[in-house]
Amino acid sequence: MSESNKKNSPSRRQFLTGAASVGAGALAAGTTHASGPDPLITQVQDWASGTGDGVDVTPYGLPIQFEQDVVRRNVEWLTADTISSINFTPIHALDGTITPQGCAFERHHSGAIELRKEDYRLMINGLVDQELVFTYEDLERFPRENHVYFCECAANTGMEWAGAQLNGAQFTHGMIHNMEYTGVSLRTLLQEAGIKPEGKWIYVEGADASSNGRSIPLEKALDDVLVAFKANGEALRKEHGYPVRLVVPGWEGNMWIKWLRRIEVKDSPVESREETSKYTDNLANGIARKWTWVMDAKSIITSPSPQAPIKHGTGPLVITGLAWSGNGAITGVDVSIDGGKTWVEARLAAPGQDKAMTRFYLDHIWDGSEMLLQARAKDATGYVQPTKTQLREVRGLNSIYHNNCIQTWWVNESGEAENVEVS
Amino acid sequence: VYAGTYGLGRPALPEEVAAWDLDVSPNGTGLPAGSGSVMDGEEIFADQCAVCHGDFAEGVGNWPKLAGGADTLDHEDPLKTVGSYWPYLSTTWDYVNRSMPFGNAQTLEVDEVYAIVAYILYSNDLVEEEFVLSQDNFLEVDMPNRDGFILDDRDKTEYSVFNDSCMSDCKASVEITMRALVLDVTPEETAAKGAAVE
């Protein structure tokens, strides 16, 4: 990316494209009025005459070239290098709830390592009756479960604490993915080793150089934590922990240890780097919260949004987005087009599932006037997603993590959207 | 009593557990026998760490600062370092031992880790130049922010408060108070994307 195309930010380029079509008068009631027969219909097209690719051309396919902008993106200035860093899922361009693995966000602390199944070992040690070592093949012989869960980085939306910074849902809310996992209940593995009565915590770490060690209370470990080896039907991607990762439903992504190599049963937490220096939330008075494990109810309108402006003019408009909660199922999502003065209930594409993403739609008739779009999630506990003002009143500006505030997109009369804050 | 419900896996050998179980807890559990001085640490730090973390642990460029920031935690832009923020010295030892230097982790000897940790303490003005850190005096080091943490209290401070589900007439007026395009820090699109749009 060169300095020379600095003006070609996604929103500006798309805005310009949209503006051009306005100029061409293609906007009347949002429908193309044919001035004559459409050659795409009246003329025989190549694809209707010749042949396409044979079945041997693509043993494992990638998206068609026209979708090449639906990719992970990083933000260089966020971190010192790209090894201990983050990239973002293109949620503005996706629909439904399942995140394609190939564009699902990555967060590494010492890079995405390559670990063969043959070289994989999982150790359970500490306060157990029998310390054990498993091979990958061993893990495949335990009874399996399938569950869909979201994995959200604790820092998702973290750059937005002080104000509206990054212009796109991918950047403000894209440290998240939602997959169907296949694996073994951690409970099953711990029972295989036998937990001693003094065991109150587990400490889990990865095979990579960062190790990413974290402490988890035994109660959660025995509840719904999975030792997963498949996601969305196939093996985990390298960058998502191949061949084995921890899935910790509803809890901050940092605890979803990738390349999982060791589970130690302990009587107390380790207070590792990733739960003292990092993933602790500094409050305004200088005291920090620790062990803020759960990700609270949150939602985001993915379209329209800065990377997905309205280009079709007035009339029917699909307002859509995602909602999720680490405290249970999403029970409803409200949408406002006037910055929170009035709200209407959106339609959930399917009933909310426990600690998984929910897709919502609001089928709107846009009159072409500007909108301040917001979504507000509600979960099964009665919790309602707060505004940024509400969060700041409790926490101040420096807690970095767990920003689940209501997002506002300012959609102007041309259909271009911008990340803003409102009173 | 070992249950072994499925009879899968095999017993872990003591050497294997010793090789992987390296974590050190706040009460010192897991610390190996050894020691290292500030003076030795300064030399090792210069060789192994200073290229990113600076000669005085003050940080280079965007790389983490390990020293400084005392009493800034309630400021607008707090500087969170080993000295100003980290509650336990065990974490410093554990993390340096397992994961540093970045790109060449698990290459330091036990005494080298003690020495580096001693030097980081010195850089934070927490020990004197003659200080020698060992497994015997490890727990005596005073970490300034030891009491700076509380348990997650969202269930008391937030969960009961965040229940505003007002549907109409929720506020009289709405003003835009901040705009991302004014800041203009969002990455540019790729050339390929531009081509696809056109």
Side-chain angles (χ1 to χ4, degrees):
Chain A
M1 192 169 325
S2 67
E3 280 296 302
S4 64
N5 63 7
K6 196 167 175 88
K7 294 283 178 247
N8 295 341
S9 71
S11 56
R12 279 183 197 147
R13 176 165 291 280
Q14 285 158 347
F15 170 59
L16 290 173
T17 314
S21 62
V22 174
L27 207 71
T31 312
T32 308
H33 180 70
S35 55
D38 184 347
L40 280 168
I41 297 170
T42 56
Q43 293 174 10
V44 175
Q45 302 296 312
D46 288 348
W47 56 80
S49 177
T51 58
D53 288 343
V55 294
D56 58 343
V57 169
T58 314
Y60 197 107
L62 287 171
I64 195 166
Q65 56 174 319
F66 314 118
E67 296 295 317
Q68 62 186 278
D69 60 324
V70 185
V71 290
R72 297 186 276 232
R73 292 188 173 85
N74 76 316
V75 177
E76 272 179 43
W77 55 263
L78 280 178
T79 51
D81 73 347
T82 56
I83 305 295
S84 180
S85 194
I86 187 83
N87 63 25
F88 300 87
T89 304
I91 55 171
H92 63 288
L94 303 177
D95 212 317
T97 58
I98 295 295
T99 314
Q101 290 197 82
C103 64
F105 88 102
E106 305 168 66
R107 201 300 185 229
H108 318 302
H109 293 78
S110 50
I113 60 166
E114 193 167 280
L115 179 54
R116 301 191 313 161
K117 285 176 182 170
E118 292 84 349
D119 298 334
Y120 179 79
R121 300 289 185 272
L122 176 63
M123 181 184 291
I124 297 183
N125 76 307
L127 298 170
V128 293
D129 296 323
Q130 176 63 62
E131 296 184 319
L132 292 170
V133 172
F134 299 106
T135 62
Y136 179 82
E137 285 185 324
D138 292 334
L139 294 183
E140 283 201 329
R141 297 172 66 189
F142 284 99
R144 275 173 228 170
E145 297 182 14
N146 287 277
H147 299 279
V148 177
Y149 295 119
F150 73 84
C151 173
E152 182 184 19
C153 179
N156 199 21
T157 323
M159 298 81 72
E160 302 292 311
W161 271 112
Q165 269 217 104
L166 289 162
N167 206 35
Q170 178 170 24
F171 302 109
T172 58
H173 289 75
M175 296 182 195
I176 192 165
H177 55 60
N178 191 67
M179 302 189 190
E180 184 196 41
Y181 292 99
T182 301
V184 179
S185 165
L186 177 56
R187 186 189 327 112
T188 302
L189 294 183
L190 288 171
Q191 284 170 350
E192 188 73 11
I195 304 166
K196 289 185 171 166
E198 314 91 272
K200 297 285 182 265
W201 291 78
I202 61 165
Y203 182 69
V204 281
E205 66 178 14
D208 62 318
S210 83
S211 93
N212 203 58
R214 292 265 342 217
S215 307
I216 298 175
L218 197 59
E219 190 181 30
K220 177 70 173 178
L222 294 176
D223 180 16
D224 55 4
V225 177
L226 277 182
V227 174
F229 38 79
K230 300 256 164 111
N232 295 349
E234 62 181 352
L236 297 171
R237 294 293 170 97
K238 173 178 83 170
E239 62 271 30
H240 296 140
Y242 181 93
V244 176
R245 85 172 304 164
L246 209 61
V247 168
V248 191
W251 287 22
E252 57 188 14
N254 176 257
M255 308 178 85
W256 294 47
I257 310 301
K258 297 185 287 189
W259 315 290
L260 179 71
R261 83 168 191 186
R262 194 171 69 91
I263 301 161
E264 181 180 359
V265 179
K266 300 181 69 76
D267 60 1
S268 59
V270 169
E271 305 266 9
S272 72
R273 186 252 197 183
E274 305 292 333
E275 55 203 17
T276 56
S277 170
K278 307 299 176 189
Y279 307 101
T280 51
D281 315 347
N282 207 30
L283 302 172
N285 62 4
I287 299 291
R289 287 175 178 162
K290 68 175 181 180
W291 303 345
T292 47
W293 298 314
V294 175
M295 302 306 292
D296 291 327
K298 188 167 175 177
S299 64
I300 180 67
I301 291 174
T302 52
S303 179
S305 66
Q307 295 160 288
I310 304 168
K311 294 196 221 168
H312 55 54
T314 56
L317 168 70
V318 174
I319 298 172
T320 186
L322 293 162
W324 60 93
S325 171
N327 283 309
I330 290 294
T331 51
V333 178
D334 302 322
V335 171
S336 174
I337 62 168
D338 58 11
K341 282 196 237 176
T342 56
W343 298 84
V344 292
E345 202 165 349
R347 171 169 61 87
L348 304 187
Q353 287 183 57
D354 193 37
K355 298 158 189 157
M357 275 188 173
T358 297
R359 169 65 57 177
F360 66 87
Y361 296 103
L362 182 69
D363 303 302
H364 183 63
I365 305 296
W366 186 44
D367 62 6
S369 58
E370 68 173 39
M371 299 185 281
L372 291 166
L373 283 180
Q374 299 182 335
R376 183 176 70 186
K378 299 175 284 191
D379 73 22
T381 68
Y383 179 96
V384 181
Q385 185 184 357
T387 63
K388 204 187 284 186
T389 305
Q390 283 179 290
L391 285 174
R392 284 173 179 157
E393 277 170 7
V394 179
R395 304 187 202 170
L397 291 173
N398 293 321
S399 58
I400 300 178
Y401 307 106
H402 292 279
N403 186 350
N404 66 318
C405 71
I406 291 171
Q407 172 68 44
T408 308
W409 302 131
W410 177 30
V411 180
N412 67 20
E413 290 164 348
S414 304
E416 185 190 17
E418 181 179 347
N419 174 11
V420 297
E421 279 189 19
V422 295
S423 57
Chain B
V1 180
Y2 173 47
T5 314
Y6 294 96
L8 293 169
R10 60 153 176 93
L13 301 177
E15 299 91 328
E16 294 171 331
V17 173
W20 275 8
D21 183 352
L22 302 174
D23 54 83
V24 181
S25 293
N27 65 6
T29 306
L31 268 182
S35 68
S37 66
V38 170
M39 303 295 257
D40 288 344
E42 182 179 26
E43 228 171 276
I44 301 164
F45 198 89
D47 286 347
Q48 303 261 21
C49 320
V51 61
C52 296
H53 295 298
D55 288 337
F56 308 101
E58 79 282 15
V60 173
N62 231 353
W63 296 101
K65 299 166 172 52
L66 308 183
D71 304 319
T72 65
L73 298 179
D74 58 353
H75 292 199
E76 193 175 326
D77 207 2
L79 175 54
K80 301 192 286 185
T81 71
V82 173
S84 70
Y85 191 66
W86 291 35
Y88 304 111
L89 190 60
S90 55
T91 311
T92 312
W93 204 100
D94 174 80
Y95 185 67
V96 170
N97 181 52
R98 260 190 300 175
S99 298
M100 287 288 134
F102 188 59
N104 196 27
Q106 303 206 57
T107 56
L108 297 168
E109 302 293 330
V110 165
D111 287 346
E112 291 179 315
V113 178
Y114 276 107
I116 289 171
V117 173
Y119 182 69
I120 293 172
L121 289 170
Y122 173 74
S123 300
N124 278 286
D125 302 319
L126 297 177
V127 298
E128 300 298 320
E129 197 175 347
E130 302 77 28
F131 181 72
V132 179
L133 181 68
S134 72
Q135 81 276 16
D136 296 324
N137 66 359
F138 198 87
L139 297 180
E140 294 163 21
V141 177
D142 179 39
M143 296 296 278
N145 200 40
R146 171 179 292 268
D147 299 320
F149 295 81
I150 56 170
L151 290 182
D152 184 359
D153 64 350
R154 283 177 290 177
D155 58 339
K156 295 179 194 68
T157 56
E158 297 184 6
Y159 291 173
S160 55
V161 184
F162 296 165
N163 55 11
D164 177 12
S165 54
C166 170
M167 295 300 284
S168 59
D169 299 319
C170 301
K171 44 189 176 184
S173 68
V174 175
E175 305 297 330
I176 292 171
T177 55
M178 216 167 240
R179 297 181 51 188
L181 282 184
V182 173
L183 204 58
D184 199 19
V185 290
T186 308
E188 312 295 345
E189 200 57 27
T190 61
K193 160 68 175 157
V197 168
E198 286 155 9

